Amino acid sequence: MPLYDFACRVCGRTFEAMAKMGEGQSVCACGGTAERLLSVGGGYRADADWLPSVMAVVDKDSPKPHVRAFLAEPSRANYRRWLAGEKLRPLEGGESRRPPAPGPDIAREVRARFAARHGVA
Ligand SMILES: [Zn+2]
């Protein structure tokens, strides 16, 4: 069986595990369910430090094209497209790199704070 990269939905850790072709999930050391990171390639590292925090907030059931594209290939280019599609922006210097706690209203909350900070509707 080939090795695949997985990202835990609970603790955010990424790890390698053997998996059958087409098997999309594994179990993390913490007991949480881990999602397989598909199609490693294109120069991105599956253990990149930004990836788990992004995976924690991506709506994996969303049918939106920018979400599907990112989940299929979580490269930096697709990450930027996802950010744009969610009307988010990368962190700037000095901002906290800690991801917000996963929740259903993350995107709205982030947009609201962004709007408040920048005085836009
Ligand atoms: Zn875990």
Side-chain angles (χ1 to χ4, degrees), residues 10-56:
V10 178
C11 70
R13 183 182 357 219
T14 56
F15 60 95
E16 285 188 331
M18 303 280 254
K20 296 192 191 80
M21 289 292 271
E23 203 167 58
Q25 295 188 329
S26 185
V27 178
C28 176
C30 78
T33 300
E35 300 283 337
R36 199 175 112 192
L37 303 177
L38 297 176
S39 65
V40 176
Y44 90 95
R45 288 175 41 199
D47 63 341
D49 55 2
W50 57 272
L51 193 52
S53 59
V54 175
M55 280 295 179

Side-chain angles (χ1 to χ4, degrees), residues 80-102:
R80 280 192 288 272
R81 282 183 204 109
W82 176 80
L83 282 173
E86 296 295 311
K87 303 205 171 31
L88 301 174
R89 58 174 178 71
L91 288 174
E92 289 167 4
E95 284 186 291
S96 170
R97 292 191 99 47
R98 290 183 53 206

